[in-house]
Amino acid sequence: MSQAALSQQLAILETEFKTRLLHRTRTGVQATTAGEALLREAQIVLRQVDQARAAVTTQSGQPSGTVSLGFTAGTAALLGVPLLKGRASAPSAYPPQHSGGG
């Protein structure tokens, strides 16, 4: 998403809620109390959407859900890549992908 599109969407939200969601400075942005509250509620809604998707997909007989795996940096390339490639056999099961330090 471009900076202009993001700014436009943020302006729409701030108009809708009649409050500032971010403090803007020359060096960046920080969520206001209202912005933090909106983020918490949006995360709840997104989890509920994921749960609804899983409930519907379960009815189709297809395997589904979230798979979380942890690897050390040394084993990630050895084990992680083949496992991610293997997900083609269960496309409804999608692992979140995060990288950590260490």
Side-chain angles (χ1 to χ4, degrees):
M1 177 178 279
S2 70
Q3 177 67 38
L6 181 60
S7 294
Q8 182 180 19
Q9 291 300 311
L10 182 59
I12 291 169
L13 285 171
E14 289 180 335
T15 299
E16 175 75 22
F17 290 110
K18 297 179 177 69
T19 190
R20 287 264 185 221
L21 299 172
L22 296 176
H23 291 292
R24 295 161 185 84
T25 67
R26 289 181 298 162
T27 59
V29 296
Q30 182 176 359
T32 63
T33 302
E36 289 173 358
L38 178 59
L39 175 61
R40 282 191 304 274
E41 295 301 319
Q43 289 170 329
I44 291 168
V45 169
L46 291 172
R47 278 193 298 275
Q48 290 173 333
V49 168
D50 285 342
Q51 290 169 352
R53 181 181 295 119
V56 170
T57 304
T58 299
Q59 300 304 313
S60 72
Q62 293 287 328
S64 66
T66 301
V67 177
S68 297
L69 303 170
F71 297 102
T72 63
T75 59
L78 180 66
L79 299 174
V81 173
L83 286 171
L84 289 174
K85 287 181 180 177
R87 79 182 243 212
S89 63
S92 297
Y94 54 95
Q97 298 177 18
H98 305 282
S99 61

